[in-house]
Amino acid sequence: GHTTGPSLSNDKLYKFAYSAEVYVDQIKASLQKSAGYRISSGVDVNLLWRNPDNDDDQLIKVTIQDVQIENVNERPAAKNIFNGKSTEKIIGKESLKALQRPIVLELVRGKVKNFYSYENEPVFTQNIKRGLASLFQLQLHSGAVREVDVSGNCDTNYQVRQDQVTKIKALDSCEIEKQGFTSHNKILDATTKATSATIYVLEDGFIKSVKAEENYVSLLNFRRKTGSKIVSKQRLELKSVQAGPGLIAAKQVAGVIKTLDSSYVALTLVAEPVKSECKKCPSLSEHWQSIREYMYPEKLSQAEAARSFLSFIQNIRKSTKEEILQLIRSEKKELLPQIVDAVTSAQTPESLEAMLEFLDFKDASTSLLQERFLYTCGFSSHPSETLLKSLTAIFKGDVANEEIRETLVVVMGALIRKLCEREGCKLPAVMEAKRLILSRLEKAKKDDNVRMYLLGLKNALLPEAIPLLLKYAESGEGPISNLAATALQRYDPSFYTKEVKETMNRIYHQNRQVHEKTVRTTAAAIILNSNPSYMEVKNILLSIGELSLEMNKYMLSMIQDIVRFEMPSSKMVRRVLKDMRVHNYDRFAKTGSSSAYSGYITRGPDVTSTYSLDILYSGSGILRRSNVNIHAFDRSAELHASQVVIEAQGLESIIAATPDEGEENLDSFAGMSAILFDVQLRPVTFFQGYGDLMSKMLSATGDPINVVKGLILLTDHSQEFQLQSGPRASMEFLGGLAIDISGGMEFSLWYRESKTNVKNRIALFIAGNTEVDSFFVKTGMETTLETETAFDFISTVQFSQYPFLVCMQMDKVESPFRRYVTKYESLPSGRRYTAKRGKAELLAGNEFPLHQENSNMCRKVFDAKSDSSSNWF
């Protein structure tokens, strides 16, 4: 009869050879040296029944026998984990028996309509059978179709040419239960690609051979050389056709199944999730004991601290709330902040519950731990709605420490933004947190409260908050107006409406009222960064020359930086500069010490990182604002890696100088504000008010104030894949950062000199693990990258003359960079094969180039210093 699917002959036994191979390696490596294994066996297939009313409905029996397991690549006996072990010993007696029990498939027009097997078999042997059964599913006409097999419900495309059929399965379309998550920022994440193709050759209406291959590749976005691949191959080849058993007479499928074996049941063809249990894994407290020594605060700028932090997180992710609490409650004070970092970074429901039970926000004495918990929440790689809901509840309750209340709002803002960017803006908890911050800001009377909610908005970046930010930027008091303007500066320029640009122009040109220099320069930066019109640029250029000396110099420097660094608005700026009236010499020959400068830290094929440094002084030579930024970009994403702003005002009285116009009544203040990985942190105050300033100056040790210290989970990528041959595979990347940023400001009235110093100490550890878990054998590859480095930014000002001398230095110390790749194969008994390769190098330190003018000044400052030290007597 005519059939539209493959058809078996009656009374025949088809004998096939079957093999399934898995390879794990680096992306570009050839497969000859890969880790992996091969399962091979004989497969017998015969027809049991054909539907008397429909030739295209057949029941076939498939039996696996003579199972062999071996290395996928030849290995000497000493390196072969299977050496001297029988298949029964490797798989286990019962599992091998189960694997060799036959399955029955009902094929209708070539598709598997029913998969019959035994219910109580181990899941992993059942999945191997599903992988084999799926190979018998094909159609004999070209076209796209959605079909179910071992990989799930997938988009599948068939191309048919004579006796050859090609089946392409779009693996990213498969619906199947799997775990996994990705990092919040694309630059810090990994990219995964997967492909699957199967080629069938037919003969006499049935299968002669099948070759199937799947490829999975995962790579780090910021270093695409670092990655891994899994290649999974299946082969089925017809060896002979012999006389076989006859058909079973029956009207319906059910009758045949009953006759055959009444314990058969119809199961889904989709693989079931299964994980092998770890027999020798350390408990949470055992694990902690093994890494505890690296977790002391003074060790936090070492790569070993970051490595231990990552392995600890992986263990916490498997732990219960009780185990976590027991560990926290038994540890001493100086190690607790690091444990809090790790537990909070784990981001499981159990770890969050443990933290909420451990921390009491009504108790001010544990505010350091509360702060570490909150910041780690802010840096979450994949925050949940529950987390935001919990923080909102804490905020509405009783919070003993005022700074913690502020940090709560700052972090709620960061979580609103992260959830919104993942299509979660309409979630009830997000709606409530947004409403809370916006409505309380509108009602706020006290400056401190206004500041707190504005900081929250500076992280949340809600489009609907722009009108409020404009209001505070234009009519708020100095610090408030400044904060609102810097919040607006963080929005993507696509959000800048006509109203935003009009307000920024009014602030810069002071059309309605006098504004502080800090706010005006921020307004100018917003205008110049958002596709400015000819007139906007022209008006800014015309204003240069009418400004106070230092602001003049700053604006000039900003314009020159835009042109030199080829920023988006540089074309327009060049056009306006051609207009000679604007470009008159007098306007552009101003002296002063303020400046703005941008440069590259790295320019790579994957990620480019830039630094920018701008510094604004008051006319008397005292710092008003210094701002150091580091940004990273790739083809599609951007990351504001860090920003450290030091601001000061009203300090003229110390050196008996005259304040600038409009700044006569400013309160003495100095402080620091930081952004880290796109999250604005709570600003830190060095001193507030004249009395506080004098007492700190007289006792000034110049000790830096700590801004951020801790462990941050940067990269958090985990994906599971169902291989066609049955096993589960996983690809993970974890990146941890141990960080220590401090900043300080020193005055020496004797030398009439001030110094600002920002120190960044960081250690980075990235761990990638790609593994195929077949229950009776695991194979995989671990990749690690580690580096330790330090960036120092120092600015020294001597204000004994005008224009005063300013020297800025930005240095990076030499840093070790190590990378290792370990391929492995292991058995549950503990027998293991590993091959490790590595490379360590020392990356040279360097001083980042700033403008020529700065280099000239540094020479003068250091010359002046050596002179003054020699003529004491």
Side-chain angles (χ1 to χ4, degrees):
H2 171 72
T3 58
T4 56
S7 176
L8 287 79
S9 305
N10 303 0
D11 313 328
K12 295 278 188 247
L13 179 65
Y14 294 81
K15 288 188 102 52
F16 287 91
Y18 175 62
S19 71
E21 300 173 337
V22 171
Y23 302 81
V24 182
D25 214 326
Q26 288 173 278
I27 297 174
K28 295 248 165 93
S30 74
L31 300 180
Q32 276 86 351
K33 291 191 170 166
S34 303
Y37 59 88
R38 176 189 301 115
I39 301 180
S40 48
S41 72
V43 171
D44 284 0
V45 181
N46 63 293
L47 183 66
L48 292 172
W49 172 85
R50 182 177 271 118
N51 188 335
D53 304 327
N54 174 8
D55 277 358
D56 248 338
D57 184 357
Q58 317 169 75
L59 267 188
I60 65 168
K61 180 174 163 189
V62 179
T63 313
I64 296 175
Q65 53 205 26
D66 308 326
V67 181
Q68 298 293 321
I69 294 172
E70 57 199 328
N71 291 118
V72 77
N73 286 312
E74 289 286 316
R75 298 212 191 289
K79 292 188 172 178
N80 179 352
I81 56 169
F82 305 119
N83 190 37
K85 285 187 182 257
S86 65
T87 305
E88 185 176 291
K89 190 104 177 134
I90 297 167
I91 296 188
K93 195 172 179 175
E94 290 310 312
S95 301
L96 183 59
K97 239 190 220 158
L99 188 58
Q100 297 185 347
R101 267 184 222 125
I103 52 174
V104 175
L105 308 179
E106 182 182 6
L107 296 178
V108 179
R109 288 192 291 283
K111 303 295 169 83
V112 178
K113 186 183 170 191
N114 278 304
F115 166 76
Y116 294 98
S117 185
Y118 298 94
E119 231 171 346
N120 48 4
E121 284 189 9
V123 180
F124 85 91
T125 59
Q126 203 76 277
N127 283 346
I128 293 174
K129 292 179 181 182
R130 288 177 165 119
L132 173 61
S134 296
L135 291 180
F136 287 95
Q137 172 160 286
L138 76 155
Q139 69 183 39
L140 299 183
H141 57 279
S142 297
V145 62
R146 204 160 166 85
E147 61 180 37
V148 174
D149 70 0
V150 61
S151 312
N153 189 348
C154 312
D155 291 338
T156 311
N157 200 327
Y158 285 94
Q159 290 155 350
V160 180
R161 282 209 312 270
Q162 287 147 334
D163 282 338
Q164 187 169 314
V165 179
T166 305
K167 171 161 85 174
I168 305 285
K169 191 157 56 178
L171 292 173
D172 53 357
S173 72
C174 297
E175 284 170 25
I176 187 170
E177 183 194 332
K178 54 181 176 208
Q179 309 284 308
F181 38 78
T182 54
S183 303
H184 172 72
N185 187 293
K186 290 238 176 18
I187 292 179
L188 302 173
D189 204 30
T191 297
T192 312
K193 294 193 177 79
T195 58
S196 159
T198 308
I199 296 171
Y200 292 86
V201 177
L202 304 175
E203 190 177 70
D204 300 335
F206 194 51
I207 294 168
K208 184 187 179 192
S209 71
V210 186
K211 281 185 185 172
E213 183 171 318
E214 275 179 302
N215 283 275
Y216 293 90
V217 169
S218 185
L219 46 88
L220 273 180
N221 291 345
F222 57 85
R223 193 176 191 275
R224 299 171 82 88
K225 281 196 295 204
T226 300
S228 61
K229 68 176 169 191
I230 298 171
V231 179
S232 163
K233 298 181 179 188
Q234 286 167 285
R235 285 206 174 156
L236 188 65
E237 228 169 307
L238 184 61
K239 291 298 184 195
S240 65
V241 182
Q242 304 171 2
L247 300 186
I248 296 172
K251 274 271 191 301
Q252 264 141 359
V253 173
V256 186
I257 296 294
K258 213 172 200 152
T259 312
L260 212 58
D261 186 340
S262 58
S263 29
Y264 268 126
V265 284
L267 299 172
T268 167
L269 195 53
V270 179
E272 288 174 72
V274 60
K275 273 260 184 355
S276 58
E277 285 300 301
C278 185
K279 299 207 171 54
K280 299 189 173 166
C281 283
S283 70
L284 189 63
S285 56
E286 287 167 348
H287 188 135
W288 171 248
Q289 288 308 321
S290 71
I291 60 169
R292 190 170 176 269
E293 60 177 300
Y294 303 113
M295 288 291 157
Y296 282 91
E298 63 276 12
K299 295 255 181 93
L300 284 192
S301 50
Q302 296 173 9
E304 200 48 66
R307 174 206 291 265
S308 305
F309 171 64
L310 295 182
S311 66
F312 191 36
I313 287 174
Q314 285 179 302
N315 202 322
I316 296 168
R317 284 182 167 162
K318 300 183 196 124
S319 305
T320 64
K321 174 177 129 182
E322 284 65 36
E323 292 170 315
I324 296 169
L325 278 169
Q326 194 183 346
L327 177 70
I328 298 177
R329 289 181 173 144
S330 66
E331 200 36 278
K332 61 181 190 191
K333 219 165 157 183
E334 62 177 321
L335 290 165
L336 277 178
Q338 289 71 261
I339 295 184
V340 168
D341 287 343
V343 172
T344 314
S345 296
Q347 299 171 75
T348 61
E350 301 272 354
S351 65
L352 175 59
E353 281 173 31
M355 285 315 307
L356 294 174
E357 188 167 318
F358 171 67
L359 292 172
D360 176 8
F361 286 83
K362 297 185 189 67
D363 173 9
S365 69
T366 59
S367 61
L368 169 70
L369 296 179
Q370 294 167 26
E371 184 175 71
R372 287 286 273 263
F373 163 70
L374 291 172
Y375 277 151
T376 307
C377 291
F379 295 129
S380 292
S381 49
H382 46 98
S384 64
E385 187 191 5
T386 318
L387 176 60
L388 180 56
K389 201 172 165 177
S390 311
L391 297 191
T392 310
I394 293 168
F395 179 72
K396 285 172 147 177
D398 207 1
V399 179
N401 178 317
E402 207 37 56
E403 290 185 346
I404 292 297
R405 252 179 84 75
E406 225 181 278
T407 310
L408 262 163
V409 179
V410 167
V411 170
M412 282 161 65
L415 293 178
I416 289 172
R417 177 177 172 200
K418 286 186 175 184
L419 288 163
C420 278
E421 283 178 357
R422 296 214 163 180
E423 273 75 67
C425 243
K426 295 275 184 281
L427 294 169
V430 179
M431 300 286 281
E432 193 198 343
K434 285 201 294 196
R435 217 173 27 245
L436 182 85
I437 294 178
L438 289 167
S439 64
R440 292 209 178 178
L441 173 59
E442 291 194 43
K443 292 193 205 96
K445 297 280 180 285
K446 282 174 37 201
D447 272 6
D448 282 356
N449 284 337
V450 172
R451 196 179 83 119
M452 170 166 81
Y453 295 117
L454 283 175
L455 280 166
L457 291 178
K458 188 170 176 181
N459 272 335
L461 298 182
L462 301 169
E464 61 265 42
I466 289 177
L468 265 173
L469 293 172
L470 288 175
K471 180 186 101 176
Y472 282 106
E474 192 165 22
S475 51
E477 283 285 294
I480 296 283
S481 145
N482 188 17
L483 176 55
T486 57
L488 285 163
Q489 197 177 12
R490 292 198 69 203
Y491 280 82
D492 187 86
S494 61
F495 287 103
Y496 294 150
T497 54
K498 188 162 142 276
E499 200 187 348
V500 174
K501 300 190 76 166
E502 284 171 358
T503 310
M504 293 303 115
N505 277 294
R506 281 199 305 271
I507 291 174
Y508 176 72
H509 295 292
Q510 307 198 98
N511 301 114
R512 289 190 180 167
Q513 66 189 77
V514 174
H515 292 280
E516 285 184 32
K517 289 199 280 285
T518 46
V519 183
R520 291 179 67 193
T521 49
T522 303
I526 290 175
I527 298 165
L528 292 169
N529 187 32
S530 56
N531 195 10
S533 69
Y534 184 89
M535 278 318 289
E536 283 178 315
V537 174
K538 185 172 179 174
N539 287 334
I540 286 178
L541 288 176
L542 283 170
S543 72
I544 296 177
E546 317 299 322
L547 307 165
S548 65
L549 273 176
E550 284 302 326
M551 188 166 161
N552 232 346
K553 179 70 175 46
Y554 181 88
M555 288 305 301
L556 191 58
S557 194
M558 185 198 275
I559 295 283
Q560 286 163 340
D561 195 40
I562 287 173
V563 172
R564 189 191 54 81
F565 204 61
E566 304 244 333
M567 291 177 195
S569 56
S570 58
K571 284 193 179 65
M572 182 58 83
V573 173
R574 281 203 173 90
R575 218 183 104 191
V576 180
L577 283 172
K578 282 200 178 124
D579 179 347
M580 282 314 291
R581 207 171 64 76
V582 177
H583 200 299
N584 58 21
Y585 179 73
D586 173 54
R587 196 179 302 277
F588 280 68
K590 296 293 179 197
T591 53
S593 307
S594 302
S595 64
Y597 189 86
S598 305
Y600 287 103
I601 298 177
T602 55
R603 293 179 84 162
D606 308 326
V607 171
T608 293
S609 52
T610 61
Y611 64 91
S612 70
L613 174 63
D614 62 86
I615 196 154
L616 176 64
Y617 291 95
S618 69
S620 55
I622 292 209
L623 177 79
R624 279 294 266 121
R625 182 184 66 211
S626 90
N627 185 349
V628 189
N629 284 284
I630 296 177
H631 282 269
F633 307 85
D634 70 4
R635 298 173 187 82
S636 61
E638 177 187 346
L639 173 68
H640 196 167
S642 78
Q643 176 187 64
V644 179
V645 179
I646 294 182
E647 290 200 57
Q649 62 176 42
L651 303 188
E652 280 72 16
S653 49
I654 324 170
I655 57 166
T658 315
D660 290 7
E661 181 196 4
E663 300 192 347
E664 297 83 2
N665 302 323
L666 291 180
D667 194 13
S668 301
F669 163 82
M672 182 160 168
S673 162
I675 289 176
L676 198 57
F677 302 110
D678 277 331
V679 179
Q680 163 73 50
L681 309 181
R682 183 178 53 75
V684 185
T685 301
F686 294 154
F687 50 78
Q688 175 96 48
Y690 189 71
D692 187 23
L693 162 65
M694 287 327 275
S695 69
K696 289 215 167 95
M697 269 189 61
L698 296 170
S699 67
T701 51
D703 279 351
I705 291 187
N706 201 291
V707 188
V708 195
K709 192 184 187 99
L711 295 153
I712 298 174
L713 180 62
L714 276 191
T715 296
D716 192 11
H717 181 97
S718 167
Q719 276 186 295
E720 270 190 2
F721 304 100
Q722 175 58 49
L723 301 187
Q724 281 168 187
S725 52
R728 276 272 158 139
S730 61
M731 287 179 154
E732 289 184 334
F733 276 109
L734 281 177
L737 189 71
I739 191 162
D740 187 345
I741 298 181
S742 54
M745 205 170 172
E746 303 172 43
F747 278 99
S748 157
L749 290 178
W750 183 262
Y751 287 118
R752 299 184 77 72
E753 176 179 279
S754 83
K755 213 176 192 176
T756 7
N757 188 347
V758 178
K759 279 184 183 311
N760 297 280
R761 301 267 170 280
I762 54 177
L764 177 69
F765 192 89
I766 307 274
N769 188 22
T770 292
E771 184 170 85
V772 178
D773 179 356
S774 300
F775 235 71
F776 55 87
V777 58
K778 275 184 182 179
T779 181
M781 184 178 86
E782 287 168 4
T783 311
T784 62
L785 300 176
E786 54 185 281
T787 183
E788 294 160 16
T789 189
F791 281 100
D792 280 350
F793 164 65
I794 303 159
S795 64
T796 312
V797 184
Q798 291 187 345
F799 37 77
S800 47
Q801 67 205 68
Y802 191 85
F804 37 85
L805 296 175
V806 182
C807 165
M808 292 181 291
Q809 294 155 282
M810 190 161 149
D811 298 339
K812 178 171 154 289
V813 301
E814 69 173 6
S815 32
F817 179 72
R818 300 180 279 271
R819 56 179 201 273
Y820 298 103
V821 171
T822 309
K823 293 182 240 181
Y824 61 88
E825 294 156 359
S826 70
L827 297 177
S829 64
R831 193 192 271 198
R832 192 174 165 94
Y833 157 77
T834 56
K836 183 172 180 175
R837 300 225 322 271
K839 186 177 177 185
E841 51 194 316
L842 204 56
L843 306 177
N846 58 337
E847 189 165 329
F848 287 103
L850 299 169
H851 30 352
Q852 187 55 47
E853 209 175 322
N854 182 59
S855 313
N856 302 343
M857 280 215 189
C858 287
R859 281 192 207 101
K860 287 189 188 165
V861 169
F862 290 113
D863 287 350
K865 278 202 156 152
S866 51
D867 293 351
S868 60
S869 55
S870 55
N871 52 17
W872 267 92
F873 302 109

